[in-house]
Amino acid sequence: MRRTRLWALPEVRWAAAALALFLAGLAVQLLGGPSGLSWALYLACYVTGGWEPALAGLRALRDKTLDVDLLMVAAAIGAASIGQVMDGGLLIVIFATSGALEALATARTEDSVRGLLDLAPDTAVRVTEGGTEETVRAADLVVGDAVLVRPGEQVPADGTVVAGASEVDQATITGEPLPVDKAAGDEVFAGTLNGTGVLRVRVDRRAEDSVVARIAGLVEQASRTKARTQLFIEKVEQRYSIGMVIATVALFVIPLWLGEPLRESLLRAMTFMIVASPCAVVLATMPPLLAAIANAGRHGVLVKSAVVMEQLGTTTRVAFDKTGTLTRGTPELADVRVLPGGELTAEQVLRYAAAAEHPSEHPLAAAIVRAARARRLDLPPVGEFLARPGRGVSARVDGSLVQVGSPAALLDPGSAGDTAREVVDGIQARGHTAVVVLWEHRPVGVLGITDQVREEAEPAVAAVTELTGAAPVLVTGDNQVTAARLASQVGITDVRAELLPDDKVTAVRELQARGQRVAVVGDGINDAPALAAAHTGIAMGGAGSDLTLQTADAIVVRDDLTTIPAVIALSRRARRVVVANLVIAGSFIAVLALWDILGTLPLPLGVAGHEGSTVIVGLNGLRLLRSAAWKRAHCPPRPPLLR
């Protein structure tokens, strides 16, 4: 997938130039260099970092609105006009960097959406009515065409299997952790991976109507329609900006009209602009959020912006995906059941099954072999190995014929078969995948295979429930029985199963319609639309797809679920610090502004008060950098309960 390079974005280049010029000017100033040189560097910083927000502000004026961009540029120019050029430069750099990060995030998300469409193959093998094969572009397939999908190839279009049998890995679409057996009459999706068999598929949808194409469309639509979130101070910027401009003009014009000298009127107005400018308010807001972002990053959670860190704390409901999120997405052997009247022990059943499955590439086979090796079982050599797609494998082990496969393929009518079916039904009722083992054509055992639940899933769910006051929701493409079993293990009662990507978006929208502020946690491509539609999207970073990682607002880098309630709690603490800082900054502004309006506020004292309030709120916010702030929020994982 082609990704937009960092330096290809003009916003990044301008922000980098502004930062470099600001640091150079600061170095000259601190080292006692020529003041003219430091001023020149600072003013160059103003130009490189401020022209774009100034242009945006002028465009807003043309539309008869006044935004904080123009106000910040005006405040920076006002600071320079009374000798505080460094303060104005810092403000310019903050705004330029924020704009660059937003542009980069937008570009990377667009890259990932384009890359999603590469999941489906570019070409397909179409079978004509005469039985000949021809290679065509997948985009040229029409409804009713027959295509051939060989082992290891991707399915080129959504359709129905008309001949053949195989197992298909469709985790990208449904999130199911294990390949699904497909035979005539079963539905397959474009972009999913065929296993060991050959499938003949009738095309049911055009390329632009496929599920994978709809995923890309859902992500784009959700990104466009998702309400623009803002920091608290930005929500009142219009009224504050207009009031500040009116007050500044009035402080200049009215005293001048009453006979005050021009210099005194201008100095009073500029002093007011400095002490009333929202610099301190902006800095009162940003340091706590940035400190919280840095603290979360040190502990394995990447939060992409200050806006995201602020809105994480407003979460009232969390929706978890199943496979790869609450589970590890890796099958493991959970049960070995010996059938009554069998001639083998449980250890022998597993040993023979693992030996027969050893040459197979199927994920279930790998789980069986791993379990045998974990129990230190010696696997004998095999002969006459045969893999039958959609049915299982057979091999000669220690001179005996061993067959391992699906119950539907291996169980025949008869008393032994009836007993085996009862065991199979019991295993499947617990949400496990059942695998039957035959020894010399007689059923001797049934293996139960399941996905591995993360050890920290249960304490994480409990912590989220306590934090938000509402139990999380499970949204998964897996079947209802498996989903319900997993939910009961980790403490979730609201289960939404067998969902395609657009169904997950619908589930999120339903929760939002009830007034919930939903955070969705997922890892697969099929989760990306729901992450985009949610109030906050959180991706599992270990095995997350590119699209999911770019769509998400935050990424759990180390796949530790307990960091999710921790980062929500940290966000809530950061929001409390922001409120305290806004009270401090607002109090300073009110006192200094009233002093300037009702009396004569000396400019140096006004600047000192303004800068002092900035230092106070900055230091208060930086308290969130301490490890103690994370420890207070973090819920350490507890060992799972014995069941």
Side-chain angles (χ1 to χ4, degrees):
M1 181 187 70
R2 186 173 61 84
R3 294 166 62 90
T4 300
R5 290 177 298 177
L6 182 67
W7 299 107
L9 297 172
E11 294 90 348
V12 173
R13 296 196 297 270
W14 286 114
L19 177 61
L21 289 167
F22 175 79
L23 293 176
L26 183 63
V28 171
Q29 180 181 350
L30 295 177
L31 294 174
S35 60
L37 178 58
S38 63
W39 266 79
L41 291 170
Y42 283 136
L43 292 178
C45 167
Y46 277 46
V47 174
T48 55
W51 73 269
E52 195 167 23
L55 182 60
L58 292 174
R59 287 172 177 166
L61 275 181
R62 186 182 60 188
D63 297 332
K64 299 180 181 180
T65 60
L66 184 64
D67 65 12
V68 76
D69 289 342
L70 187 60
L71 193 62
M72 289 299 96
V73 172
I77 294 173
S81 69
I82 58 173
Q84 303 299 318
V85 67
M86 187 272 287
D87 298 325
L90 176 60
L91 198 59
I92 291 292
V93 167
I94 289 174
F95 267 71
T97 303
S98 175
L101 292 175
E102 182 179 352
L104 179 62
T106 301
R108 288 292 170 81
T109 300
E110 292 173 351
D111 292 342
S112 297
V113 172
R114 287 194 299 268
L116 174 61
L117 299 177
D118 295 335
L119 283 175
D122 295 328
T123 61
V125 178
R126 183 167 58 190
V127 182
T128 65
E129 292 182 0
T132 60
E133 300 176 6
E134 58 181 1
T135 301
V136 299
R137 292 196 319 145
D140 294 335
L141 293 173
V142 297
V143 175
D145 280 349
V147 295
L148 196 67
V149 187
R150 293 186 171 88
E153 293 182 345
Q154 288 179 307
V155 178
D158 289 3
T160 302
V161 178
V162 294
S166 184
E167 66 280 353
V168 177
D169 182 354
Q170 51 189 34
T172 54
I173 302 299
T174 65
E176 293 171 288
L178 304 176
V180 179
D181 290 336
K182 298 291 183 180
D186 292 332
E187 184 180 19
V188 292
F189 303 107
T192 55
L193 185 64
N194 185 28
T196 56
V198 178
L199 297 176
R200 185 167 176 170
V201 177
R202 182 187 67 243
V203 176
D204 292 340
R205 300 187 190 96
R206 297 176 302 169
E208 58 266 32
D209 298 326
S210 67
V211 172
V212 71
R214 294 209 308 269
I215 292 176
L218 286 167
V219 172
E220 288 183 321
Q221 181 182 9
S223 298
R224 286 196 305 266
T225 59
K226 191 174 183 179
R228 178 176 179 264
T229 52
Q230 299 170 297
L231 294 175
F232 172 79
I233 186 59
E234 293 177 344
K235 296 175 183 177
V236 296
E237 68 180 50
Q238 276 291 305
R239 295 177 181 176
Y240 187 89
S241 301
I242 294 172
M244 178 179 165
V245 169
I246 292 174
T248 301
V249 172
L251 279 176
F252 174 66
V253 172
I254 294 176
L256 189 64
W257 179 63
L258 293 176
E260 188 174 86
L262 175 63
R263 175 177 173 78
E264 282 73 9
S265 294
L266 180 60
L267 186 61
R268 182 190 298 271
M270 286 296 97
T271 301
F272 177 83
M273 175 174 280
I274 292 300
V275 300
S277 71
C279 305
V281 178
V282 171
L283 293 177
T285 305
M286 294 300 290
L289 298 174
L290 294 177
I293 289 174
N295 200 341
R298 288 203 312 267
H299 293 89
V301 182
L302 173 61
V303 180
K304 292 186 176 181
S305 70
V307 172
V308 173
M309 177 54 76
E310 183 190 44
Q311 66 190 23
L312 269 169
T314 65
T315 300
T316 60
R317 199 76 180 271
V318 177
F320 285 103
D321 171 50
K322 172 185 168 289
T323 305
T325 302
L326 293 174
T327 70
R328 299 188 183 279
T330 303
E332 69 172 350
L333 183 68
D335 195 6
V336 180
R337 300 288 298 276
V338 178
L339 297 178
E343 303 177 27
L344 304 179
T345 65
E347 184 174 289
Q348 288 174 318
V349 168
L350 179 57
R351 178 172 178 266
Y352 283 147
E357 291 279 22
H358 186 262
S360 175
E361 298 178 353
H362 199 286
L364 294 184
I368 295 170
V369 173
R370 280 197 306 271
R373 286 178 171 167
R375 291 164 172 79
R376 302 183 182 278
L377 299 182
D378 180 34
L379 303 186
V382 301
E384 302 177 19
F385 174 80
L386 177 64
R388 294 175 296 172
R391 295 178 59 85
V393 301
S394 64
R396 188 71 60 177
V397 183
D398 286 345
S400 300
L401 179 63
V402 177
Q403 296 167 274
V404 186
S406 67
L410 297 185
L411 294 183
D412 297 322
S415 59
D418 291 340
T419 303
R421 281 195 187 87
E422 292 177 2
V423 176
V424 167
D425 291 342
I427 287 177
Q428 291 177 338
R430 297 200 302 272
H432 296 168
T433 298
V435 176
V436 176
V437 181
L438 271 60
W439 185 65
E440 293 295 348
H441 302 289
R442 296 191 304 275
V444 293
V446 181
L447 309 180
I449 298 178
T450 186
D451 197 0
Q452 298 182 42
V453 180
R454 296 184 187 274
E455 291 184 0
E456 71 275 14
E458 185 178 352
V461 168
V464 166
T465 303
E466 182 179 357
L467 189 63
T468 62
V473 182
L474 180 62
V475 288
T476 177
D478 216 338
N479 66 76
Q480 182 68 40
V481 173
T482 302
R485 173 184 168 275
L486 180 278
S488 66
Q489 282 185 281
V490 300
I492 295 178
T493 56
D494 190 347
V495 180
R496 321 279 178 95
E498 300 178 13
L499 304 181
L500 289 176
D502 48 352
D503 298 323
K504 291 188 177 184
V505 173
T506 301
V508 171
R509 298 290 191 206
E510 288 176 357
L511 293 171
Q512 291 173 332
R514 301 175 192 170
Q516 303 281 357
R517 301 179 75 83
V518 184
V520 174
V521 187
D523 73 307
I525 290 171
N526 59 311
D527 300 318
L531 265 65
H535 179 63
T536 309
I538 304 173
M540 303 294 284
S545 66
D546 283 346
L547 179 67
T548 307
L549 297 180
Q550 295 299 335
T551 304
D553 301 303
I555 300 171
V556 181
V557 179
R558 300 168 189 164
D559 283 359
D560 181 0
L561 287 172
T562 60
T563 60
I564 293 173
V567 77
I568 293 175
L570 183 65
S571 170
R572 292 186 175 184
R573 186 177 180 195
R575 287 169 61 86
R576 292 194 295 270
V577 173
V578 166
V579 171
N581 278 353
L582 290 175
V583 171
I584 295 171
S587 299
F588 269 85
I589 289 174
V591 170
L592 295 174
L594 286 174
W595 189 347
D596 186 55
I597 293 171
L598 301 177
T600 302
L601 174 65
L603 179 60
L605 185 58
V607 171
H610 180 266
E611 296 303 317
S613 66
T614 301
V615 171
I616 291 173
V617 298
L619 292 176
N620 189 40
L622 292 178
R623 292 188 300 114
L624 294 178
L625 280 173
R626 299 179 303 168
S627 296
W630 178 264
K631 291 177 181 177
R632 287 180 58 183
H634 187 249
C635 167
R638 303 189 302 268
L641 297 176
L642 296 176
R643 300 185 186 279

